C-alpha cells in the first residue's frame, strides 16, 4: 500500500512539474542562445490534422516554448561535458545532445562540419526551383561561406569533412546562378581576424571578403576596407561558448569589429512577437550596446528578422533581395554601399513569398548568403523552399 501511495505522489509531482514548465512564460533567452527563431503555434486545418503535420508542428512548438528552455539546454550540455570529456582546456572534443561536435583548441571553439548528401541534394533542388521561377527576371547570386575549422591547421581538422568539396558540388549543380567564390579570399587571409573564437560566425572583417567577392562577381566597384571607420566592442562570448558550457573559455572573449559605412541606415522590420503576432519597428544596421553592456552578434542589423527593408542614399536604382541565414548580417551593412534598396528575408520565420516581393518591388538581384552548414539542415532548406510562391 505504501509503495502505491509513493508511486501516486511521485507521478503527481511529475505531472505538476511538467504542467508548470509549460505554463511558465516563454524563455526569451533560449532564442538568443540558440540563435534562431523559436517555433510558432501552428494553425490547425482538417488537412494538417489528418495528415499528421499539425501534430508534428505542435510537438515542435511545445519543445521550443517550454519554460526555462535555455536552462534545460545548458544543463544538458553540462551533463554531456561530464561524460568522458578531458579536463584540460585545449584539445577537447565535445559531443552535443543534437549529435554535432565542437572542438576546443588553441583558444577557439569550432563547429565540426559533417556533410549530409541528402540534405545537400535538397538544397540544390531548392535553389534550382528559384532559378526556374525567377532567373529570367533577375540576376541570381549564391555565396556559401566556409567555417573556421575548414582552415584550421591542427589535427582536429581531420574530424571535419571538406567544406570546399561541398561548396564546389553545390556551385557546379545549381542552374543560372552566379556563384561567389569567397573561399579563396578567406583562405588567403587566415592570418587576419576573420572568424570569432567563441562563435560560429565570421567577423565583419571576414564578411568584408564576402562583400568584396560579391561585387567582383557583379563586376562592380567595392569600397576599400581602409576607407571604413573601425569601431571595436570587447567582451563578446558567442553561441558556441554557450553551447560548449566552458566558463574557462571566457578568457578568450572576442572583440566585435564594425566597419562603419557613411551612415547608420535605418532598418525597417516586419517581424513577429513571442506569441506570433505581427509587429513593425525600426532598428539600425549597427546596434551598439549601451551602458558598457557586453556586445552580442545582434550589433549587426539588430539580429535576425522575418523581413527587413533598408533604403540608402545610393540613388542608382539597384534593388537587392537577400535570402539569408545569420552569416549575412555582417555582409548586409557593407552592401548598402552598392544598392539603393536592400530587402532581407529570413526564410525560417518569413510568412510571405518571394513571388509577392517580386510583384511589389522592382528587384534586380536575388542573393543567397548562407554558411556551408545550411546545406546540412533539412528544416532550414524546407523553409527556403516554402517561401518561393
Amino acid at each position: 500500500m505504501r509503495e502505491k501511495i509513493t508511486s501516486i505522489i511521485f507521478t503527481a509531482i511529475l505531472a505538476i512539474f511538467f504542467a508548470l514548465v509549460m505554463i511558465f512564460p516563454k524563455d526569451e533567452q533560449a532564442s538568443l542562445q540558440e540563435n534562431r527563431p523559436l517555433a510558432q503555434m501552428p494553425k490547425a486545418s482538417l488537412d494538417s490534422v489528418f495528415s499528421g503535420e499539425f501534430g508534428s508542428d505542435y510537438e515542435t512548438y511545445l519543445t521550443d516554448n517550454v519554460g526555462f528552455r535555455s536552462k534545460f539546454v545548458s544543463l544538458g550540455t553540462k551533463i554531456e561535458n561530464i561524460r568522458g570529456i578531458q579536463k584540460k582546456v585545449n584539445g577537447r572534443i565535445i559531443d552535443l545532445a543534437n549529435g554535432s561536435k565542437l572542438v576546443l583548441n588553441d583558444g577557439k571553439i569550432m563547429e565540426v562540419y559533417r556533410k549530409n548528401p541528402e540534405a545537400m541534394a535538397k538544397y540544390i533542388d531548392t535553389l534550382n526551383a528559384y532559378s526556374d521561377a525567377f532567373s529570367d527576371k533577375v540576376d541570381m547570386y549564391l555565396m556559401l561561406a566556409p567555417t573556421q575549422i575548414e582552415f584550421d591547421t591542427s589535427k582536429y581538422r581531420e574530424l571535419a569533412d571538406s567544406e570546399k568539396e561541398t561548396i564546389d558540388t553545390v556551385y557546379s549543380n545549381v542552374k543560372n546562378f552566379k556563384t561567389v567564390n569567397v573561399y579563396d579570399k578567406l583562405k588567403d587571409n587566415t592570418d587576419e581576424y576573420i572568424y570569432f573564437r567563441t562563435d560560429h560566425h565570421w567577423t565583419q572583417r571576414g564578411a568584408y571578403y564576402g562583400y568584396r567577392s560579391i561585387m567582383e562577381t557583379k563586376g562592380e566597384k567595392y569600397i576599400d576596407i581602409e576607407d571604413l571607420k573601425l569601431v571595436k566592442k570587447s567582451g563578446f562570448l558567442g553561441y558556441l561558448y554557450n553551447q560548449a558550457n566552458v566558463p574557462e573559455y571566457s578568457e578568450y572573449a572576442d572583440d566585435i569589429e564594425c566597419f562603419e559605412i557613411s551612415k547608420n541606415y535605418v532598418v525597417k522590420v516586419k517581424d513577429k512577437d513571442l506569441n506570433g503576432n505581427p509587429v513593425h519597428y525600426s532598428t539600425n544596421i549597427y546596434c551598439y550596446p549601451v551602458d558598457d553592456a557586453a556586445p552580442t552578434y545582434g550589433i549587426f542589423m539588430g539580429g535576425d528578422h522575418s523581413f527587413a527593408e533598408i533604403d540608402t542614399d545610393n540613388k542608382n536604382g539597384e534593388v537587392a533581395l537577400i535570402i539569408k541565414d545569420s552569416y549575412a548580417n555582417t555582409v548586409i551593412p557593407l552592401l548598402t554601399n552598392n544598392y539603393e534598396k536592400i530587402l532581407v528575408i529570413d526564410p525560417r520565420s518569413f510568412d510571405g513569398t518571394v513571388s509577392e516581393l517580386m510583384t511589389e518591388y522592382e528587384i534586380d538581384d536575388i542573393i543567397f548568403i548562407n554558411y556551408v552548414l545550411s546545406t546540412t539542415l533539412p528544416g532550414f532548406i524546407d523553409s527556403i523552399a516554402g517561401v518561393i510562391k
Side-chain angles (χ1 to χ4, degrees), residues 1 5 7 15 52 60 71 131 172 185 199 227 238 246 257 277 280 351 374:
M1 183 66 177
I5 293 173
S7 177
T60 301
K71 300 295 187 296
S131 177
S172 62
K185 279 191 173 56
D199 194 67
D227 293 333
V246 281
E257 294 182 330
N277 300 313
H280 295 188
D351 58 5
S374 292

Side-chain angles (χ1 to χ4, degrees), residues 266-286:
V266 171
V267 180
K268 294 179 287 186
V269 174
K270 295 179 183 178
D271 221 325
K272 294 178 182 178
D273 63 20
L274 292 175
N275 295 313
N277 300 313
V279 291
H280 295 188
Y281 60 93
S282 295
T283 182
N284 293 94
I285 57 171
Y286 293 107

Side-chain angles (χ1 to χ4, degrees), residues 207-247:
Y208 171 80
Y209 289 113
Y211 155 73
R212 179 172 162 177
S213 297
I214 292 172
M215 290 302 108
E216 289 179 347
T217 303
K218 283 175 60 67
E220 294 186 7
K221 184 178 179 180
Y222 54 84
I223 193 167
D224 194 300
I225 196 169
E226 299 299 329
D227 293 333
L228 300 172
K229 178 184 176 183
L230 173 61
V231 175
K232 185 182 295 186
K233 299 293 181 181
S234 301
F236 172 50
L237 293 169
Y239 170 71
L240 297 183
Y241 174 82
N242 290 326
Q243 289 285 293
N245 245 309
V246 281

